[in-house]
């Protein structure tokens, strides 16, 4: 328990903040699936140098960056690429430790593999004075590395997994209606009505 509040206050906070946020996220993911056949949720956080009382792994060495993911929704190749790129910059990177998993809307969780998810946890010592909250000289360096090795790599990954003809995500499809586009098998360019996976249902 982080703080003790009454049930009425808790219910109001959930109704005012939690529910609208998750509803908006689910609607956005649905729109991306309908338009592109895929959606990528980048879930960003920071963590203190000293473990919180609520942290389960409070005795482990804190890394610079923690990448969290759920196996079902994880683009493993991309995650390994991000990990290696950050490590090449001298950063320590852990996978699913001290925090694990990533945010995926409940209606898609373990249901649709085309909803990708990655949680990025950043050690606050990289960019701020935890006592004052002020930015340190490392802020702009950290920001640059995150943009270069995480957000830009995710954008490139998404660009390389979309068919340029139909702008939908490539996926492994068991249907007979397929066409080869630039030597990559796309399930959406031909005979769409015959494909059971059309409109993001796969």
């Amino acid at each position: 328990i982080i703080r003790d509040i009454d049930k009425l206050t808790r219910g109001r906070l959930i109704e005012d903040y939690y529910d609208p946020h998750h509803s908006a996220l689910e609607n956005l993911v649905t729109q991306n699936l309908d338009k592109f056949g895929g959606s990528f949720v980048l879930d960003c956080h920071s963590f203190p140098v000293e473990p919180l009382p609520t942290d389960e792994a409070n005795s482990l060495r804190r890394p610079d960056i923690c990448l969290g993911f759920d196996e079902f929704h994880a683009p493993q190749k991309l995650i390994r690429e991000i990990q290696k790129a950050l490590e090449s910059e001298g950063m320590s990177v852990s996978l699913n430790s001290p925090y694990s998993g990533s945010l995926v809307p409940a209606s898609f969780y373990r249901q649709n593999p085309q909803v990708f998810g990655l949680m990025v946890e950043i050690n606050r010592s990289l960019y701020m004075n935890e006592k004052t909250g002020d930015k340190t000289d490392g802020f702009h360096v950290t920001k640059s590395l995150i943009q270069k090795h995480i957000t830009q790599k995710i954008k490139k990954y998404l660009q390389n997994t979309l068919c340029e003809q139909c702008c939908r995500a490539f996926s492994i499809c068991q249907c007979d209606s397929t066409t080869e586009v630039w030597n990559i098998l796309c399930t959406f360019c031909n005979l769409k009505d015959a494909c059971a996976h059309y409109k993001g249902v796969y």
Side-chain angles (χ1 to χ4, degrees):
I1 297 176
I2 298 176
R3 56 185 175 274
D4 188 19
I5 59 174
D6 60 83
K7 290 184 178 180
L8 184 62
T9 302
R10 182 177 185 275
R12 178 176 55 79
L13 291 172
I14 291 174
E15 184 177 348
D16 290 347
Y17 299 103
Y18 182 91
D19 289 342
H21 169 75
H22 283 271
S23 178
L25 177 62
E26 182 164 343
N27 289 337
L28 186 58
V29 169
T30 300
Q31 291 172 21
N32 284 338
L33 285 171
D34 288 342
K35 185 175 182 180
F36 303 112
S39 188
F40 197 113
V41 180
L42 180 60
D43 179 20
C44 301
H45 305 266
S46 69
F47 62 91
V49 175
E50 295 297 325
L52 298 171
T54 52
D55 285 342
E56 293 181 4
N58 55 20
S59 62
L60 298 178
R61 179 180 175 274
R62 313 287 269 181
D64 293 324
I65 302 286
C66 168
L67 301 177
F69 53 88
D70 179 278
E71 293 288 347
F72 187 87
H73 297 280
Q76 293 287 353
K77 183 178 179 181
L78 171 64
I79 292 172
R80 300 295 178 181
E81 182 181 340
I82 290 173
Q83 179 186 15
K84 289 181 179 179
L86 291 171
E87 289 176 341
S88 72
E89 300 281 0
M91 287 186 155
S92 58
V93 182
S94 65
L95 302 179
N96 279 332
S97 176
Y99 307 100
S100 62
S102 62
L103 178 62
V104 174
S107 60
F108 301 111
Y109 182 67
R110 296 288 177 96
Q111 299 295 321
N112 192 329
Q114 293 304 114
V115 178
F116 304 106
L118 176 63
M119 175 179 70
V120 177
E121 293 268 5
I122 304 174
N123 193 315
R124 292 174 192 162
S125 67
L126 293 176
Y127 66 91
M128 69 179 285
N129 182 318
E130 288 191 74
K131 293 182 178 180
T132 65
D134 294 331
K135 296 176 184 177
T136 62
D137 293 339
F139 178 84
H140 294 292
V141 175
T142 303
K143 178 181 176 181
S144 176
L145 291 177
I146 295 301
Q147 290 176 331
K148 178 181 178 181
H149 295 309
I150 296 182
T151 56
Q152 291 302 320
K153 287 187 184 304
I154 289 174
K155 288 180 181 179
K156 184 177 180 181
Y157 172 81
L158 292 174
Q159 290 171 348
N160 291 338
T161 55
L162 292 178
C163 170
E164 293 184 22
Q165 280 191 215
C166 65
C167 297
R168 296 184 66 89
F170 294 121
S171 65
I172 298 173
C173 177
Q174 301 301 318
C175 299
D176 293 330
S177 56
T178 58
T179 183
E180 194 169 323
V181 184
W182 299 290
N183 296 319
I184 303 176
L185 202 61
C186 178
T187 61
F188 303 104
C189 288
N190 190 33
L191 301 175
K192 293 179 181 179
D193 293 337
C195 179
H197 297 140
Y198 184 48
K199 292 186 177 179
V201 184
Y202 41 82

